[in-house]
Amino acid sequence: MQVVNNYDWYGGMQLLTFLRDVGKLARMGTMLNKDSVKSRLDSESGMSYTEFTYQLLQGYDFVHLCREEGVRVQIGGSDQWGNITAGTDLVRKILGDEAPQCFGLTFPLLVRMCSCLFAPCSACTSQHHVPSNRARGMTLTSASVGGRRRQEVWQVRGRRNLAVAGEAITIQILSVPLQDDGRRRHPLPAHADLPAAGADRGAGGDHDERRGQAQHRAAAAGRGGHALRAWRGGRRGANMPVACAAFGALRAMGKGRHSSEAWTCSRATDQARLCDRRQR
Amino acid sequence: MLAASQVTGLRDVLETLRERGLLQDVTSEDLGAVSAQEALTVYVGFDPTADAIHVGNLLALIVLSWFQRCGHQAVALLGGATGRVGDPSGKSAERPVLSVEEIEANVSGIGSIIRGILERNKGALPDVKVRRLPSKLPLHQACGGSRPLDQRTEVRLACRS
């Protein structure tokens, strides 16, 4: 597992070097044919030369990583297909026969059930109502926002949900960026917001113990400064109490660059059932 | 707890992703056979548009972690340079230009988050082979842990039941 920053190889690169080594090998026709370019050229706002260059920069990333790190596969969302194939093309052209066979792979995009395309971070701020057909999607439920539980329904485009038959997914994501002034965007849940213990029925185990451990873990992770603090698989939507407990711990710490928010993500049907139980 | 056949190393990634509806396109179907034979290094790029990852990155991390689970190496690329340019993909208008300070803060924020997730996931490798579990068994028992919050269940992204 490695984290790299492409500024490390672009920061010191001369424009002329880029034009000679990369630009020479890129064909205008191919570049203009990318969806990301075509759609923008047809629009009123058009496209800057800077953004037009983007595909070559991302493409050359692949060349660099292939040569220096032996990377052979690039993955990305389906909207990245053009940039990814720009990469596999450049690998072939620049590295030639030395290059191992390289691959590009895309996954479907995550979209809201109301089918507006995901916009980064607006999920944290916008109030999206939960569509009535939530049984078809994957429900992301925030532990609590301002004392009220907030839900959004997402789906992997063209597919009912992430899980294969008979599988349950529960993921907790604890992440909320702070505002510029360091305040949290949302008030965090108080312990009073914890759902009834009965909601945890699906997972089995001792609730107090689970919560206690979650608090401990979250506090430890919080000290390390990770915004995305807990990530654990489980059964049904049953980890909400654990998520809430983790929150309480983070909230009590009240420091660090990120505040916390817990989301659980589960198969929609299970989540719906869980919500029903809470309402009763 | 695991049968020997379930603890073998490399697996065909394409098959796994396809089964889960996580595959849209691939440049060559050879990837399936190659991934079952040799350990590959795989990368995914993250735009430093904010100082934390967002829900749209969820699938990238899931797919990347499936590669890890199938025995491959993961590289996360942070777009410290490309963030200065802006990816036009999927955008109907020019992206706002972020200041250099913002980009650098975002790179370090996202970097530490992703490192945390994938490192944790890597640690779980010997234990994350996909298994069919008896549907009635509580998860922690099914996964071989003696306690509900066993270390091994803690890091699992998804578990079949």
Side-chain angles (χ1 to χ4, degrees), chain B residues 12-56:
Chain B
D12 181 338
V13 173
L14 282 195
E15 192 190 332
T16 305
L17 294 177
R18 195 171 275 132
E19 181 192 27
R20 288 162 180 274
L22 288 172
L23 183 64
Q24 181 86 28
D25 263 315
V26 62
T27 52
S28 163
E29 284 292 325
D30 294 350
L31 179 58
V34 174
S35 67
Q37 278 164 11
E38 46 187 316
L40 299 169
T41 308
V42 188
Y43 95 93
V44 64
F46 293 90
D47 261 347
T49 46
D51 63 356
I53 57 172
H54 52 74
V55 72

Coordinates of all heavy atoms in Angstrom, one line a residue, chain B residues 12-56:
Chain B
D12 N -9.1 -14.3 -9.5 CA -9.5 -13.6 -10.6 C -10.4 -12.4 -10.2 O -11.5 -12.5 -9.7 CB -10.3 -14.5 -11.5 CG -10.8 -13.8 -12.8 OD1 -10.9 -12.6 -12.8 OD2 -11.1 -14.5 -13.8
V13 N -9.8 -11.2 -10.3 CA -10.5 -10.0 -9.9 C -11.7 -9.7 -10.7 O -12.7 -9.3 -10.1 CB -9.5 -8.8 -9.9 CG1 -10.2 -7.5 -9.6 CG2 -8.3 -9.0 -9.0
L14 N -11.6 -9.9 -12.0 CA -12.8 -9.6 -12.8 C -14.0 -10.3 -12.4 O -15.1 -9.7 -12.4 CB -12.4 -9.9 -14.3 CG -11.5 -8.9 -15.1 CD1 -11.6 -9.2 -16.6 CD2 -11.9 -7.5 -14.8
E15 N -13.8 -11.6 -12.1 CA -15.0 -12.4 -11.8 C -15.6 -11.9 -10.5 O -16.8 -11.7 -10.4 CB -14.5 -13.8 -11.6 CG -15.5 -14.9 -11.5 CD -14.9 -16.2 -11.0 OE1 -13.8 -16.5 -11.3 OE2 -15.7 -17.0 -10.4
T16 N -14.7 -11.6 -9.5 CA -15.2 -11.0 -8.3 C -16.0 -9.7 -8.5 O -17.1 -9.5 -7.9 CB -14.0 -10.8 -7.3 OG1 -13.3 -12.0 -7.2 CG2 -14.5 -10.3 -5.9
L17 N -15.4 -8.8 -9.2 CA -16.1 -7.5 -9.4 C -17.3 -7.6 -10.2 O -18.3 -7.0 -9.9 CB -15.1 -6.5 -10.1 CG -13.8 -6.2 -9.3 CD1 -12.9 -5.3 -10.2 CD2 -14.2 -5.5 -8.0
R18 N -17.3 -8.5 -11.2 CA -18.5 -8.7 -12.0 C -19.7 -9.2 -11.2 O -20.8 -8.8 -11.3 CB -18.2 -9.6 -13.2 CG -19.2 -9.6 -14.3 CD -18.7 -10.3 -15.6 NE -17.9 -9.5 -16.4 CZ -16.7 -9.8 -16.9 NH1 -16.2 -11.0 -16.6 NH2 -16.0 -9.0 -17.7
E19 N -19.4 -10.2 -10.4 CA -20.4 -10.8 -9.6 C -21.0 -9.8 -8.7 O -22.2 -9.9 -8.3 CB -19.7 -11.9 -8.7 CG -20.6 -12.6 -7.8 CD -19.9 -13.5 -6.8 OE1 -18.7 -13.1 -6.4 OE2 -20.5 -14.5 -6.3
R20 N -20.3 -8.7 -8.3 CA -20.8 -7.7 -7.4 C -21.4 -6.5 -8.1 O -21.7 -5.5 -7.5 CB -19.7 -7.3 -6.5 CG -19.4 -8.4 -5.5 CD -18.0 -8.2 -4.8 NE -17.9 -9.3 -3.9 CZ -18.4 -9.4 -2.7 NH1 -18.9 -8.3 -2.2 NH2 -18.3 -10.4 -2.0
G21 N -21.4 -6.6 -9.4 CA -21.9 -5.4 -10.1 C -21.0 -4.2 -10.0 O -21.4 -3.1 -10.2
L22 N -19.7 -4.5 -9.8 CA -18.7 -3.4 -9.7 C -17.9 -3.2 -10.9 O -16.9 -2.4 -10.9 CB -17.8 -3.6 -8.5 CG -18.5 -3.5 -7.1 CD1 -17.6 -4.0 -6.0 CD2 -18.9 -2.1 -6.8
L23 N -18.3 -3.9 -12.0 CA -17.4 -3.7 -13.2 C -18.3 -3.1 -14.3 O -19.3 -3.5 -14.7 CB -17.0 -5.1 -13.6 CG -16.1 -5.1 -14.9 CD1 -14.8 -4.5 -14.6 CD2 -15.8 -6.6 -15.3
Q24 N -17.8 -1.9 -14.8 CA -18.4 -1.3 -15.9 C -17.7 -1.7 -17.2 O -18.3 -2.2 -18.1 CB -18.3 0.2 -15.7 CG -19.0 1.1 -16.8 CD -20.5 1.2 -16.5 OE1 -20.9 1.2 -15.4 NE2 -21.3 1.4 -17.6
D25 N -16.4 -1.4 -17.3 CA -15.7 -1.7 -18.5 C -14.3 -2.1 -18.1 O -13.7 -1.7 -17.1 CB -15.6 -0.4 -19.3 CG -16.6 -0.3 -20.4 OD1 -16.8 -1.3 -21.1 OD2 -17.2 0.8 -20.6
V26 N -13.7 -2.8 -19.1 CA -12.2 -3.1 -18.9 C -11.6 -3.1 -20.2 O -12.2 -3.5 -21.2 CB -12.1 -4.5 -18.1 CG1 -12.7 -5.6 -18.9 CG2 -10.6 -4.8 -17.8
T27 N -10.3 -2.6 -20.3 CA -9.7 -2.5 -21.6 C -9.4 -3.9 -22.2 O -9.3 -4.0 -23.5 CB -8.4 -1.7 -21.5 OG1 -7.6 -2.3 -20.5 CG2 -8.7 -0.2 -21.2
S28 N -9.2 -4.9 -21.4 CA -9.0 -6.2 -22.0 C -9.4 -7.3 -21.0 O -9.1 -7.2 -19.8 CB -7.5 -6.4 -22.3 OG -7.2 -7.8 -22.5
E29 N -10.1 -8.3 -21.5 CA -10.6 -9.4 -20.7 C -9.4 -10.2 -20.1 O -9.6 -11.0 -19.2 CB -11.6 -10.3 -21.4 CG -13.0 -9.7 -21.6 CD -13.8 -9.5 -20.3 OE1 -13.6 -10.4 -19.5 OE2 -14.5 -8.5 -20.2
D30 N -8.3 -10.0 -20.7 CA -7.1 -10.7 -20.3 C -6.8 -10.5 -18.8 O -6.2 -11.3 -18.1 CB -5.8 -10.3 -21.0 CG -5.9 -10.7 -22.5 OD1 -6.8 -11.5 -22.8 OD2 -5.0 -10.3 -23.3
L31 N -7.3 -9.3 -18.3 CA -7.0 -8.9 -16.9 C -7.4 -10.0 -16.0 O -6.8 -10.3 -15.0 CB -7.7 -7.6 -16.6 CG -7.5 -7.1 -15.1 CD1 -6.1 -6.9 -14.8 CD2 -8.3 -5.8 -14.9
G32 N -8.5 -10.7 -16.3 CA -9.0 -11.8 -15.4 C -8.0 -12.9 -15.3 O -7.6 -13.2 -14.1
A33 N -7.5 -13.4 -16.4 CA -6.5 -14.5 -16.3 C -5.2 -14.0 -15.7 O -4.6 -14.7 -14.9 CB -6.3 -15.0 -17.7
V34 N -4.7 -12.8 -16.1 CA -3.5 -12.3 -15.6 C -3.5 -12.1 -14.1 O -2.6 -12.4 -13.4 CB -3.1 -10.9 -16.3 CG1 -1.9 -10.3 -15.6 CG2 -2.9 -11.1 -17.8
S35 N -4.7 -11.6 -13.6 CA -4.8 -11.3 -12.2 C -4.8 -12.6 -11.3 O -4.6 -12.6 -10.2 CB -6.0 -10.5 -11.9 OG -7.2 -11.2 -12.1
A36 N -5.2 -13.7 -12.0 CA -5.2 -15.0 -11.3 C -3.9 -15.6 -11.2 O -3.6 -16.6 -10.5 CB -6.3 -15.9 -11.9
Q37 N -2.9 -15.1 -12.1 CA -1.6 -15.7 -12.2 C -0.5 -15.0 -11.5 O 0.5 -15.5 -11.0 CB -1.3 -16.0 -13.7 CG -1.9 -17.2 -14.2 CD -1.9 -17.3 -15.7 OE1 -1.2 -16.5 -16.3 NE2 -2.7 -18.2 -16.3
E38 N -0.6 -13.6 -11.6 CA 0.5 -12.9 -11.0 C 0.0 -11.7 -10.2 O -1.0 -11.2 -10.5 CB 1.5 -12.4 -12.1 CG 0.9 -11.8 -13.3 CD 1.9 -11.5 -14.4 OE1 2.9 -11.0 -14.1 OE2 1.6 -11.8 -15.6
A39 N 0.8 -11.3 -9.2 CA 0.4 -10.2 -8.4 C 0.6 -8.9 -9.2 O 1.7 -8.7 -9.7 CB 1.2 -10.2 -7.1
L40 N -0.4 -8.1 -9.3 CA -0.3 -6.8 -10.0 C -0.3 -5.7 -9.0 O -0.7 -5.8 -7.9 CB -1.6 -6.7 -10.9 CG -1.8 -7.8 -12.0 CD1 -3.2 -7.6 -12.6 CD2 -0.7 -7.6 -13.0
T41 N 0.2 -4.5 -9.5 CA 0.0 -3.3 -8.8 C -1.0 -2.4 -9.4 O -1.0 -2.2 -10.7 CB 1.4 -2.6 -8.7 OG1 2.4 -3.5 -8.2 CG2 1.3 -1.4 -7.7
V42 N -1.9 -2.0 -8.7 CA -3.1 -1.3 -9.2 C -3.2 0.1 -8.6 O -2.9 0.3 -7.4 CB -4.4 -2.0 -8.7 CG1 -5.6 -1.4 -9.4 CG2 -4.3 -3.5 -9.0
Y43 N -3.5 1.1 -9.4 CA -3.7 2.4 -8.8 C -5.0 3.1 -9.1 O -5.6 2.8 -10.1 CB -2.5 3.3 -9.2 CG -2.6 4.2 -10.4 CD1 -3.1 5.6 -10.2 CD2 -2.3 3.8 -11.7 CE1 -3.2 6.5 -11.2 CE2 -2.5 4.7 -12.7 CZ -2.9 6.0 -12.5 OH -3.0 6.9 -13.6
V44 N -5.4 4.0 -8.3 CA -6.5 4.8 -8.5 C -6.2 6.2 -8.1 O -5.4 6.4 -7.1 CB -7.8 4.3 -7.7 CG1 -7.6 4.3 -6.2 CG2 -9.0 5.1 -8.1
G45 N -6.7 7.2 -8.8 CA -6.4 8.6 -8.5 C -7.5 9.3 -7.7 O -8.6 9.0 -7.8
F46 N -7.1 10.2 -6.8 CA -8.0 10.9 -6.0 C -7.8 12.4 -6.2 O -6.7 12.9 -6.1 CB -7.9 10.6 -4.5 CG -8.3 9.2 -4.2 CD1 -7.3 8.2 -4.2 CD2 -9.6 8.9 -3.8 CE1 -7.7 6.9 -3.9 CE2 -10.0 7.6 -3.5 CZ -9.0 6.6 -3.5
D47 N -8.8 13.1 -6.6 CA -8.7 14.6 -6.8 C -8.7 15.3 -5.4 O -9.6 15.0 -4.6 CB -10.0 15.1 -7.5 CG -9.7 15.2 -9.0 OD1 -8.5 15.2 -9.4 OD2 -10.7 15.4 -9.8
P48 N -7.8 16.2 -5.2 CA -7.8 16.9 -3.9 C -8.7 18.1 -3.9 O -8.3 19.2 -3.7 CB -6.3 17.3 -3.8 CG -5.9 17.5 -5.2 CD -6.6 16.5 -6.0
T49 N -10.0 17.8 -4.2 CA -11.0 18.9 -4.3 C -11.5 19.3 -2.9 O -12.2 20.3 -2.7 CB -12.2 18.5 -5.2 OG1 -12.6 17.2 -4.8 CG2 -11.8 18.5 -6.6
A50 N -11.3 18.4 -1.9 CA -11.7 18.8 -0.5 C -10.7 18.1 0.4 O -9.9 17.3 0.0 CB -13.1 18.3 -0.3
D51 N -10.8 18.4 1.7 CA -9.8 17.9 2.6 C -10.2 16.5 3.2 O -9.5 16.0 4.1 CB -9.4 18.9 3.7 CG -10.6 19.2 4.6 OD1 -11.7 18.7 4.3 OD2 -10.4 19.9 5.6
A52 N -11.3 16.0 2.8 CA -11.7 14.7 3.2 C -12.3 13.9 2.0 O -12.7 14.6 1.1 CB -12.7 14.7 4.4
I53 N -12.3 12.6 2.1 CA -12.9 11.9 1.0 C -14.4 12.0 1.1 O -15.0 12.4 2.1 CB -12.5 10.4 0.9 CG1 -12.8 9.8 2.3 CG2 -11.0 10.3 0.6 CD1 -12.6 8.3 2.2
H54 N -15.1 11.8 0.0 CA -16.6 11.9 0.0 C -17.2 10.6 -0.4 O -16.5 9.7 -0.8 CB -17.0 13.1 -0.9 CG -16.4 13.0 -2.3 ND1 -16.9 12.1 -3.2 CD2 -15.4 13.7 -2.9 CE1 -16.2 12.2 -4.3 NE2 -15.3 13.2 -4.2
V55 N -18.5 10.5 -0.4 CA -19.1 9.3 -0.6 C -18.9 8.7 -2.0 O -18.9 7.5 -2.3 CB -20.7 9.4 -0.3 CG1 -21.4 10.2 -1.3 CG2 -21.3 8.0 -0.1
G56 N -18.6 9.6 -3.0 CA -18.3 9.2 -4.3 C -17.0 8.4 -4.4 O -16.8 7.6 -5.3

